[in-house]
Amino acid sequence: MAEMVSSLGTRLQISDSELTTDLIKEAIVQVLDYTGQKKLIGNMDIYVKKLATINYNRMGIEGETQRTEGGITNYLEVGIPKDIRLGLNRYRIAKVTRL
């Protein structure tokens, strides 16, 4: 965890360890919820850092799906981006239901 916090702080060029710790914890919860795992395994920490970076960049625009400024419209992806989901799919636990 400390290594991920340090790495994220370096990547985002921020020195607020409370913020980076909070971003990492939030991203870990999102990754574990998506995969159904109880702890991080394999290379899931890479996706945690990617998701924490995205969560940092989304700060201040929570709830928006699009934003128009100066005649330019940007559409924002909701939830975990597709490239991260594709990487995490190998760690997902399948759930079986009765027919």
Side-chain angles (χ1 to χ4, degrees), residues 16 43-46 53 59 72 75:
D16 186 352
N43 291 324
M44 288 171 68
D45 58 330
I46 293 169
T53 302
M59 289 174 63
I72 298 172
Y75 295 92

Side-chain angles (χ1 to χ4, degrees), residues 2-94:
E3 182 183 322
M4 283 194 285
V5 169
S6 173
S7 175
L8 183 65
T10 302
R11 179 181 291 187
L12 298 177
Q13 298 179 351
I14 55 176
S15 59
D16 186 352
S17 64
E18 282 186 32
L19 176 60
T20 53
T21 301
D22 190 47
L23 288 167
I24 290 291
K25 285 181 180 178
E26 182 179 311
I28 287 172
V29 169
Q30 288 177 298
V31 166
L32 294 178
D33 283 349
Y34 180 76
T35 60
Q37 298 286 346
K38 300 221 184 279
K39 62 179 183 172
L40 297 178
I41 57 172
N43 291 324
M44 288 171 68
D45 58 330
I46 293 169
Y47 300 105
V48 167
K49 287 189 284 188
K50 285 182 178 186
L51 194 52
T53 302
I54 289 167
N55 289 342
Y56 175 76
N57 290 327
R58 287 181 179 170
M59 289 174 63
I61 58 169
E62 292 90 350
E64 292 185 28
T65 56
Q66 72 179 31
R67 172 177 275 200
T68 303
E69 293 179 11
I72 298 172
T73 302
N74 292 315
Y75 295 92
L76 308 169
E77 191 167 3
V78 179
I80 299 175
K82 186 177 181 179
D83 63 324
I84 295 176
R85 283 182 292 158
L86 289 173
L88 290 173
N89 281 343
R90 74 180 77 147
Y91 300 108
R92 288 191 87 179
I93 296 175

